[in-house]
Amino acid sequence: MDKILSNDIQKDHQEYVLTSWSKQLGILPKVMTKAEGVFFWDEEGRKYFDMSSQLVYTNVGHQHPKLLEAFKHIGEIPLSSPGFASASKSALAKKIIELAPNNMQKVFFTCGGAESNDHAIKIAKMVTGRYKIFSRYRSYHGATFGAGNLTGENRRLSAEPGIPGFVKFDIPYLYREAIDFSSEEQATEFYLKRLQQQILYEGPNTIAAIFIEPIPGSNGVIIPPKGYLEGVRTLCDEFGILMVCDEVMSGFGRTGKMFAVDHYDFEPDMITFAKGITSGYAPLGGVIVSNQIASYFDDHPLMTGLTYSGHTMCTQIGLETLKIYEEEKLIDNAYKVGKVLAERLEQLLSYSIVGEVRHLGLFAAVELVKDKTTREPLIQYGLDYGQDPVRLMNKFISMLLKKGFYTYSHESSIIIAPPLVITVDELNEAMDIFENVIQEFEKLINQPKFASV
Ligand SMILES: Cc1ncc(COP(=O)(O)O)c(C=O)c1O
């Protein structure tokens, strides 16, 4: 693509497109002019490692030839309303149930992550006859009104005043916890006791569901302490509450297993998904429901729906994507390369600005601090890349970009979640860049000009 065309695209974007989560003035979005595997190129011809898989979805990599081919052969009649059966919708639902935990039975298809969570909220209310919905601080569940109200960070605020009965509880974020627990198990016990009390204070018979990202993604890949998720399951069972796991980001191989819940010893009542099901090549999401929930709707109407639920274009791309995961053994690759990523990340702890590294498979975050002893974060809570008046995170991200490492950050954490097709050599090359930027940034913020901010 020539430079003049790219400039026109950027100019028209600035003039006519509203960009999410941003002040509009001064935005100069990149134009992706070429992409392949773990790489993409911008309008200046600069090449980048896509180390966040865009918004953590390009799992099979950019421009996968089999998916491009699948688009050319969308064989089925593309439009049949949700009441019709179609070959790809039936086959995809069947396949997802085969891959999901054993207790899962049926899929309700949506067009993305937030819509999936909105529908899971409604399903939980229908099935239990209760109205309260618990979710956690430091979670992101989407931007629609329902999912926005589930969300436990400042991206919720534009959806407030919120929906009555939406209650937040604390996440075990041990690095930023005031209590110094002697073990993960002790932390688990503490948080579960607190949650149990909160359930009692709120009235257990009013609570329909607890929503949890098993591993919160955009809030910094926060790994739960041992036994925590299983403990939440036990509390849900005790009080007749449904447990919904939001696997929009963590699902489909990101963590080195098909679903993040597969790392643990429990089964949720619902799993919401999107992103990885089509690797982002088509807008598809859904809610996977347990056999108990599925049978509830045998003789109760499912009072929800979407024009594009199970759109055949998306379900065909979903099927093809799942085939690629299998044929190219991408989940195994995420596990294998994830081990190398883990080693590289742990080595970064020797730098004074690296507070904590968190990782599972190819799902990771590096949390930067101003002071390792006090754990003072690089930027304050509630500020984000682009909103930080001191622009420290902007600086860090732009240093990465200049060297060809593309990703994004949230507060003081940088997300590292490359496409699952990445090789060990590619990962090492990208992490060399990352480490080099850490070294340069460490020197930079120790200069008097930055030391005082
Ligand atoms: C865990 C989680 N849930 C839900 C969503 C919302 O998905 P979507 O943007 O497709 O609506 C996201 C998006 O990043 C997410 O990470």
Side-chain angles (χ1 to χ4, degrees), residues 124-125 127-132 199 203-210 232-243 269 292-293:
K125 287 184 170 183
V127 170
T128 60
R130 302 172 176 182
Y131 70 97
K132 278 192 181 163
I199 289 171
N205 293 338
T206 64
I207 305 166
I210 293 181
V232 174
R233 172 76 268 179
T234 307
L235 285 176
C236 286
D237 290 341
E238 189 181 339
F239 296 110
I241 298 167
L242 297 175
M243 182 174 184
D269 298 295
Q292 273 175 337
I293 293 177

Side-chain angles (χ1 to χ4, degrees), residues 7 36-37 49 59 77 86 96 146 148 155 161 177 195 200 237 263 268-269 297 305 356 385 392 394 423 427:
N7 287 349
E36 191 182 339
F49 280 97
N59 289 2
I77 298 161
S86 78
I96 290 169
R155 281 178 284 180
E177 175 54 73
L195 176 58
L200 291 172
D237 290 341
H263 290 275
D269 298 295
F297 289 110
E356 190 175 55
Y385 174 68
L392 282 180
N394 296 47
T423 64
L427 181 98

Side-chain angles (χ1 to χ4, degrees), residues 17-238:
V17 179
L18 280 171
T19 303
S20 349
W21 311 115
S22 311
K23 280 186 196 156
Q24 306 297 306
L25 210 61
I27 286 178
L28 187 66
K30 287 189 184 311
V31 182
M32 202 182 280
T33 51
K34 186 177 150 190
E36 191 182 339
V38 300
F39 299 106
F40 71 87
W41 286 255
D42 71 7
E43 67 288 350
E44 308 280 349
R46 271 194 234 116
K47 183 181 176 185
Y48 300 88
F49 280 97
D50 186 350
M51 292 304 283
S52 64
S53 306
Q54 297 300 292
L55 296 175
V56 193
Y57 56 69
T58 328
N59 289 2
V60 302
H62 289 274
Q63 300 284 90
H64 196 291
K66 285 191 180 150
L67 283 183
L68 298 186
E69 204 50 36
F71 273 107
K72 287 191 208 149
H73 301 286
I74 298 281
E76 279 182 286
I77 298 161
L79 300 169
S80 59
S81 76
F84 287 79
S86 78
S88 62
K89 183 166 53 176
S90 301
L92 182 61
K94 188 174 174 194
K95 187 82 206 161
I96 290 169
I97 294 304
E98 280 166 17
L99 299 171
N102 285 337
N103 65 328
M104 294 294 168
Q105 180 84 48
K106 285 190 177 175
V107 181
F108 177 78
F109 286 111
T110 70
C111 307
E115 263 185 10
S116 303
N117 286 323
D118 273 32
H119 282 82
I121 293 167
K122 289 172 75 177
I123 290 171
K125 287 184 170 183
M126 284 184 258
V127 170
T128 60
R130 302 172 176 182
Y131 70 97
K132 278 192 181 163
I133 302 286
F134 271 41
S135 59
R136 300 190 299 177
Y137 288 114
R138 289 188 182 271
S139 65
Y140 181 71
H141 294 286
T144 53
F145 203 62
N149 270 271
L150 286 178
T151 291
E153 38 108 319
N154 65 347
R155 281 178 284 180
R156 180 185 72 250
L157 303 181
S158 55
E160 289 195 331
I163 301 171
F166 276 53
V167 176
K168 298 288 170 295
F169 63 103
D170 264 335
I171 182 173
Y173 182 21
L174 303 194
Y175 185 65
R176 299 236 159 266
E177 175 54 73
I179 304 165
D180 192 10
F181 297 110
S182 64
S183 67
E184 287 190 35
E185 287 81 356
Q186 198 193 29
T188 289
E189 199 185 324
F190 171 84
Y191 282 102
L192 290 177
K193 242 185 214 149
R194 282 254 301 262
L195 176 58
Q196 186 188 35
Q197 277 174 355
Q198 209 174 340
I199 289 171
L200 291 172
Y201 297 151
E202 289 289 338
N205 293 338
T206 64
I207 305 166
I210 293 181
F211 278 71
I212 279 189
E213 286 177 86
I215 298 170
S218 53
N219 277 262
V221 188
I222 302 170
I223 313 283
K226 276 195 199 97
Y228 172 80
L229 292 171
E230 291 85 348
V232 174
R233 172 76 268 179
T234 307
L235 285 176
C236 286
D237 290 341
E238 189 181 339

